[in-house]
Amino acid sequence: MKILFAILLFTFISPLLAEEKTSLIVYTYDSFNTEWGPGPKIEKAFEEGCNCDLKFVSAGDGAALLAKIRLEGEKTKADVVLGLDSNVLEEARKTKLFLPNGLNIELDLPIQWKDDTFLPFDWGFFAFIFDGSKTKKIPQSFKELVDSDIRLVIQDPRSSTPGLGLILWIQKVFGSDSKAVWEKMSDNIVTVTPGWSEAYGLFLEGEADGVLSYTTSPAYHIIAEKDFSKKAAIFKEGHLMQIEVAAITAKTSKRKLAKSFMTFLISDTAQSIIPTTNWMYPAKNPKLALPEAFDIKVAKDKAIYLQPKSVPDLTSKALQVWKLAIRK
Amino acid sequence: MGVSFLSLGSIIILLVNSQFSFFISHYEREILIFTLFQGFLSALLSVCLAIPISRSIFRNNFPGKNILVRLMNVMFVLPVLIVILTVIKIFGFNGTPNQILDFFGFEKISIYGLQGILIGHILINLPFAVRLILSGWLMIPSEHFRLARQLNFSRKEYFKYLELPMLIKIIPSIFTIIFLFCCLTFSIALILGGGPGSTTLELAIYQSIIFDGNLGVAARLSLYQLIIMILILIISFKISAKPVFENSLILKAENYIAKNRLQQGLDFLSVATLAIFISMPPIIIFCKGIPNIFSVETFVFSALLNSLLVAFLAATVNLCISVVLSFTIVKEESLRKLVLEIGTFSLICISPLVLGTAIFLALFKYIDISENSLVLTGLVNGILTIPFSLTILLPGFVKITKRYGHIMRSLGLSNFKQIFEIYFPLMKFPIRFAFALVFALSIGDLGIIVLFSGSESSTLPMYLYRLMGSYRMDEAYAVALLLLILALSSFWIIEKGFYYATLRKKMLN
């Protein structure tokens, strides 16, 4: 009991004892800042050259990150927000909490990036992942998928970023036919989960043949587990991109430091850390070639990117269609 | 006393931070109805199944009875996600029942749908209900049983005069607690329900706060939810006494009514079913966790320590508040007493996300939430569990006040002295039990409050979710196993203490 009390006391006091350095507060999503994620490595590498204290603050998933910023509003303590997703960019812009970053950096994205406020640091394609050892005939298109009797698990667009990605993807590709696509897909869907983790967990447990994730997911299994069975289905209709961006907040008093962090994020050092820790493609190709598992198999002209301005409208339309078409 | 108004207060905080309208859309009404419907059905089934099962446990002595009763606490502290995964492991596409069906050439049965929701909720709540009803059975004085035997009661009379009055007293509140729990989760309903048709209000609240940044909608939804649930609370308060968490279960079968072969068989069947049912998730976690227990990285120890800290803080805060609250409630007059009680119990009627958001909004301007995330999580867990500890403490406080209230007043003891010199020594065991319960519940973390997650400090459940969020399913099972062991052992240690304490007391008498 006494020991516990001492520990408790120590946790209160210890921050007071730490030496004061200029600190840069970066809000990010949970999985970026895990012990095995990119967070700690990036923190170490950046602190070597900045004489500062880089502090990552995590806030649930990507959606919760935006929610936290929105709740804090003008009073936010964040200097940089890292990990907003391109499909909620318009929502983030509406908060008016971010200022142009004043950087001019060439990137290696399949599309032209022209935004002056939000800077991409990694990206990926949404895709369905299958276990090649169990599913012999991996579908090559949405059409093949919905006509098959493949069992899928997807995420709820009302609570998950990939889930939102899927309805936007289908809405963009099929337009007014999207309702028919969903109706046909309805009997393929085993269940809908609130987040990515539950869906991917169900897939790994063999409850479904396929799961909505990213084209880079097999890279994790190959590199970390030497498991070559997981395959991303490459669709003829193209793949929706998810671009993860960072932005400097309007209220920061450390603009210069924040700017140098943004530049660092796109540096060779950071960009070679990110792929094998965050399991996404680098926004700028590092000099040292990435493992083969990161080869991009989606042709450049099959990359679908939604203009942020068009997303809110498309979202409400797609959500309406989805709610009506999935009768489960 | 502020705690009593926390649930309403948090809705008000959301209100002032948003544009609000009372208008409820068709979609919202639909999910509200579904939420109540599935909660009602889940609670009804859990309670209906729990009555015969707890009766079988009560009237039979069998090896492993102690272990079975203790295992019942476990389901309550496991993260919901793990429970869902084990349900699917058992009843899912590749589960044993479906493989048997497949083997004999039958079509596999899908768990997804209302049946899935019910199975999931029953798995979590049935052990809890059995445990509470079991303590109800133990509350029937053994003299009554002896008397009934002497009077040669028939089975019908037994039920009518001994069991029914007890059941009427405790069932409504047990039903209500389970009902509330089933209404306030969304993962179970959505995943096991199989799709958007099984949306509960909590998902809509999550969507409006996290995705749309629309606090008004969240406030409206939780306000309607709160009103309905408080009504249900009041009704159940009116028809029953509060449920009694018996601090120690003396697991000795009373000489009950004579049983015939058929009943013996039925008893065996129901106990065996329950035993299999509640041991499945721990077994699955054990099997999946053990091979990976060494692949868990050392970070887990800091998470473990953090969890212990959070749990300790929660239990301490909880007890300080609930002791004072119980002390005040027993002294209050009828109406104020009811308001205080309902207010406090309404803490389990409010969406954890709404409460978390409100606390966040109220505090973030003044303190650094992420620096103090552990302390805050401990505080919030401590407050949210007050209704549980109150159910344990209140009956004792009522009893003591009835017996010694006059003497204390005529002696002119100060409140402080009353609490520390009269109530504390007499309530030692219930207080320790409440401490243990809150401690264990808090280790399992009552649903993570996403906005509170901090910079480097994570608790064990948070660590588990992070592993699952980064492809590391195998390690997540190992952490789940650790969590299970930790929760079980904290209960075990304290309950064992109780067991011996009561044993000593019995011997002294």
Side-chain angles (χ1 to χ4, degrees):
Chain A
M1 203 84 128
K2 273 181 191 152
I3 297 172
L4 270 172
F5 186 70
I7 295 168
L8 204 67
L9 201 67
F10 182 70
T11 47
F12 281 116
I13 295 172
S14 55
L16 304 174
L17 302 175
E19 191 193 341
E20 275 300 310
K21 261 188 200 169
T22 330
S23 60
L24 186 74
I25 296 175
V26 178
Y27 281 14
T28 185
Y29 51 82
D30 239 8
S31 60
F32 191 88
N33 193 31
T34 53
E35 287 85 351
W36 51 87
K41 293 194 181 81
I42 288 199
E43 187 178 334
K44 197 164 162 263
F46 183 65
E47 281 176 355
E48 268 166 19
C50 77
N51 188 32
C52 68
D53 181 18
L54 177 64
K55 255 194 211 142
F56 280 115
V57 173
S58 1
D61 61 359
L65 176 64
L66 181 59
K68 184 166 177 160
I69 297 291
R70 234 180 331 215
L71 288 176
E72 292 187 343
E74 296 285 320
K75 301 258 173 33
T76 185
K77 294 190 177 78
D79 299 304
V80 172
V81 176
L82 184 155
L84 296 169
D85 150 23
S86 50
N87 292 326
V88 296
L89 221 56
E90 205 47 32
E91 297 285 319
R93 207 189 304 275
K94 270 189 218 150
T95 63
K96 299 202 174 68
L97 295 171
F98 303 100
L99 279 186
N101 52 38
L103 296 166
N104 200 359
I105 302 172
E106 277 293 305
L107 298 169
D108 298 315
L109 298 176
I111 53 143
Q112 275 291 327
W113 187 262
K114 285 193 214 104
D115 198 281
D116 61 353
T117 306
F118 299 99
L119 179 72
F121 62 91
D122 68 15
W123 65 280
F125 286 118
F126 289 114
F128 285 100
I129 304 297
F130 292 90
D131 186 333
S133 63
K134 290 181 196 155
T135 308
K136 295 294 173 224
K137 204 172 162 288
I138 291 171
Q140 314 261 303
S141 65
F142 269 116
K143 205 180 157 336
E144 270 184 51
L145 178 73
V146 299
D147 288 336
S148 71
D149 53 7
I150 282 171
R151 298 159 49 84
L152 291 176
V153 49
I154 63 166
Q155 298 86 350
D156 196 308
R158 296 167 297 178
S159 59
S160 137
T161 321
L164 177 64
L166 179 64
I167 65 165
L168 288 172
W169 182 9
I170 290 180
Q171 193 67 28
K172 180 74 185 173
V173 170
F174 295 99
S176 55
D177 293 335
S178 61
K179 186 155 181 273
V181 173
W182 276 114
E183 273 163 0
K184 271 181 130 177
M185 205 199 274
S186 193
D187 59 3
N188 295 93
I189 296 169
V190 176
T191 191
V192 179
T193 68
W196 178 90
S197 317
E198 297 94 342
Y200 211 83
L202 287 185
F203 163 67
L204 290 179
E205 295 289 346
E207 193 59 22
D209 305 319
V211 61
L212 178 74
S213 187
Y214 301 92
T215 51
T216 40
S217 297
Y220 172 81
H221 298 285
I222 293 171
I223 295 165
E225 298 175 336
K226 309 273 174 297
D227 166 9
F228 291 84
S229 68
K230 308 289 186 293
K231 304 267 190 262
I234 306 301
F235 282 179
K236 288 189 188 106
E237 294 97 340
H239 286 259
L240 183 70
M241 288 176 78
Q242 181 186 42
I243 303 175
E244 296 198 290
V245 300
I248 301 174
T249 58
K251 73 103 236 177
T252 180
S253 55
K254 297 153 196 153
R255 219 182 133 68
K256 215 173 137 211
L257 189 60
K259 229 170 125 172
S260 78
F261 176 71
M262 298 279 274
T263 320
F264 173 79
L265 208 53
I266 303 302
S267 72
D268 209 56
T269 321
Q271 288 294 304
S272 40
I273 293 172
I274 287 173
T276 50
T277 46
N278 212 29
W279 307 102
M280 294 287 263
Y281 300 120
K284 192 167 176 64
N285 296 335
K287 281 190 207 88
L288 218 64
L290 287 171
E292 204 189 313
F294 279 98
D295 287 353
I296 301 170
K297 298 200 179 70
V298 177
K300 236 181 181 169
D301 62 332
K302 296 284 182 193
I304 303 168
Y305 177 69
L306 302 174
Q307 287 307 320
K309 275 203 169 50
S310 69
V311 173
D313 260 359
L314 203 64
T315 305
S316 56
K317 225 181 273 163
L319 209 51
Q320 210 54 41
V321 170
W322 181 78
K323 268 189 216 159
L324 290 175
I326 306 283
R327 277 284 162 207
K328 274 188 168 234
Chain B
M1 294 315 93
V3 178
S4 308
F5 304 101
L6 213 61
S7 36
L8 199 61
S10 52
I11 292 180
I12 293 171
I13 291 177
L14 255 61
L15 286 183
V16 295
N17 282 287
S18 68
Q19 279 123 21
F20 182 73
S21 101
F22 280 103
F23 179 72
I24 180 162
S25 71
H26 176 66
Y27 165 69
E28 288 166 1
R29 201 163 44 233
E30 233 172 44
I31 55 179
L32 178 63
I33 291 169
F34 177 77
T35 306
L36 300 173
F37 169 70
Q38 59 86 29
F40 181 81
L41 221 54
S42 302
L44 189 70
L45 277 174
S46 302
V47 170
C48 285
L49 287 170
I51 294 173
I53 293 177
S54 60
R55 187 192 202 188
S56 310
I57 294 180
F58 171 69
R59 62 186 187 185
N60 289 288
N61 276 322
F62 50 90
K65 190 165 166 176
N66 277 305
I67 296 177
L68 184 69
V69 172
R70 284 190 182 123
L71 256 174
M72 287 182 213
N73 297 315
V74 173
M75 300 310 297
F76 219 51
V77 298
L78 280 180
V80 168
L81 185 45
I82 291 289
V83 176
I84 295 173
L85 283 173
T86 54
V87 169
I88 286 169
K89 197 89 200 134
I90 301 159
F91 297 102
F93 194 65
N94 295 317
T96 320
N98 263 335
Q99 263 164 6
I100 294 171
L101 281 178
D102 198 45
F103 181 80
F104 289 106
F106 292 106
E107 185 107 359
K108 288 186 177 183
I109 296 171
S110 166
I111 184 187
Y112 304 97
L114 190 61
Q115 69 272 26
I117 301 176
L118 295 179
I119 290 177
H121 278 153
I122 290 174
L123 192 61
I124 294 176
N125 295 305
L126 179 64
F128 176 68
V130 169
R131 171 87 208 233
L132 287 185
I133 300 176
L134 191 56
S135 63
W137 243 286
L138 289 160
M139 274 185 336
I140 303 175
S142 39
E143 292 80 21
H144 290 196
F145 283 113
R146 255 171 263 149
L147 197 63
R149 230 180 6 256
Q150 277 164 8
L151 294 172
N152 246 333
F153 269 17
S154 70
R155 204 155 289 134
K156 223 167 133 190
E157 284 164 333
Y158 250 105
F159 184 71
K160 194 174 160 198
Y161 295 109
L162 288 180
E163 301 174 327
L164 196 61
M166 178 277 289
L167 289 176
I168 289 175
K169 237 180 146 184
I170 66 168
I171 293 294
S173 35
I174 296 173
F175 176 88
T176 309
I177 290 181
I178 296 176
F179 172 74
L180 296 179
F181 174 84
C182 294
C183 289
L184 290 178
T185 58
F186 65 84
S187 310
I188 297 177
L190 185 67
I191 298 181
L192 296 176
S198 307
T199 302
T200 53
L201 220 49
E202 195 61 17
L203 184 89
I205 290 173
Y206 184 92
Q207 183 192 9
S208 57
I209 293 180
I210 301 294
F211 256 53
D212 305 339
N214 193 339
L215 300 183
V217 174
R220 171 171 69 234
L221 294 177
S222 53
L223 185 66
Y224 284 121
Q225 183 163 271
L226 191 66
I227 292 171
I228 292 174
M229 290 183 171
I230 285 184
L231 281 177
I232 292 165
L233 257 188
I234 293 174
I235 295 168
S236 91
F237 262 52
K238 283 277 167 207
I239 40 178
S240 80
K242 273 159 288 306
V244 182
F245 281 85
E246 204 55 20
N247 43 25
S248 115
L249 296 176
I250 303 150
L251 300 167
K252 209 177 124 276
E254 284 297 335
N255 289 327
Y256 200 69
I257 183 169
K259 286 168 285 192
N260 59 28
R261 262 259 171 66
L262 177 72
Q263 275 179 318
Q264 197 77 47
L266 282 176
D267 276 2
F268 175 76
L269 200 70
S270 62
V271 173
T273 315
L274 180 80
I276 293 172
F277 206 48
I278 63 175
S279 57
M280 275 183 315
I283 289 173
I284 287 176
I285 293 167
F286 187 79
C287 295
K288 300 207 75 156
I290 279 288
N292 301 300
I293 199 90
F294 294 108
S295 63
V296 174
E297 289 165 75
T298 46
F299 316 119
V300 78
F301 292 108
S302 78
L304 196 98
L305 190 69
N306 286 338
S307 272
L308 287 175
L309 266 175
V310 166
F312 181 74
L313 183 67
T316 313
V317 168
N318 173 294
L319 271 194
C320 292
I321 301 177
S322 10
V323 165
V324 175
L325 259 177
S326 312
F327 183 72
T328 319
I329 288 175
V330 291
K331 305 237 139 134
E332 285 294 348
E333 291 307 310
S334 55
L335 185 66
R336 285 183 57 186
K337 181 179 156 168
L338 191 71
V339 170
L340 269 181
E341 272 188 281
I342 295 287
T344 314
F345 279 93
S346 73
L347 278 174
I348 43 174
C349 300
I350 187 147
S351 142
L353 191 64
V354 168
L355 193 71
T357 308
I359 293 176
F360 182 87
L361 279 171
L363 293 182
F364 85 91
K365 286 173 199 156
Y366 311 105
I367 57 169
D368 192 333
I369 301 262
S370 57
E371 286 284 339
N372 300 302
S373 64
L374 285 183
V375 177
L376 274 173
T377 312
L379 284 175
V380 172
N381 282 356
I383 291 171
L384 282 176
T385 40
I386 286 176
F388 291 98
S389 47
L390 225 52
T391 47
I392 302 172
L393 298 181
L394 262 181
F397 268 82
V398 171
K399 224 182 192 168
I400 295 171
T401 316
K402 263 196 194 139
R403 201 173 291 173
Y404 302 112
H406 280 295
I407 304 175
M408 285 191 276
R409 235 169 299 141
S410 55
L411 285 175
L413 289 179
S414 68
N415 284 349
F416 184 82
K417 270 203 160 154
Q418 283 184 18
I419 290 182
F420 280 93
E421 285 172 14
I422 309 289
Y423 288 96
F424 247 70
L426 287 173
M427 295 282 293
K428 214 158 121 198
F429 296 122
I431 285 177
R432 268 177 64 188
F433 179 63
F435 191 90
L437 185 73
V438 176
F439 194 88
L441 279 175
S442 206
I443 282 177
D445 220 4
L446 316 152
I448 25 172
I449 297 154
V450 275
L451 297 165
F452 283 5
S453 60
S455 19
E456 274 131 28
S457 40
S458 63
T459 58
L460 222 44
M462 271 163 84
Y463 189 75
L464 190 150
Y465 272 88
R466 283 179 186 168
L467 285 168
M468 286 188 150
S470 16
Y471 298 100
R472 302 181 168 216
M473 213 49 190
D474 296 338
E475 278 172 81
Y477 273 109
V479 174
L481 180 61
L482 277 177
L483 199 62
L484 192 73
I485 294 170
L486 198 64
L488 248 179
S489 52
S490 60
F491 244 119
W492 205 285
I493 288 166
I494 294 172
E495 282 217 301
K496 207 151 188 131
F498 275 119
Y499 185 67
Y500 288 129
T502 27
L503 214 65
R504 246 198 335 265
K505 230 163 103 190
K506 280 227 135 178
M507 268 147 54
L508 284 175
N509 287 341

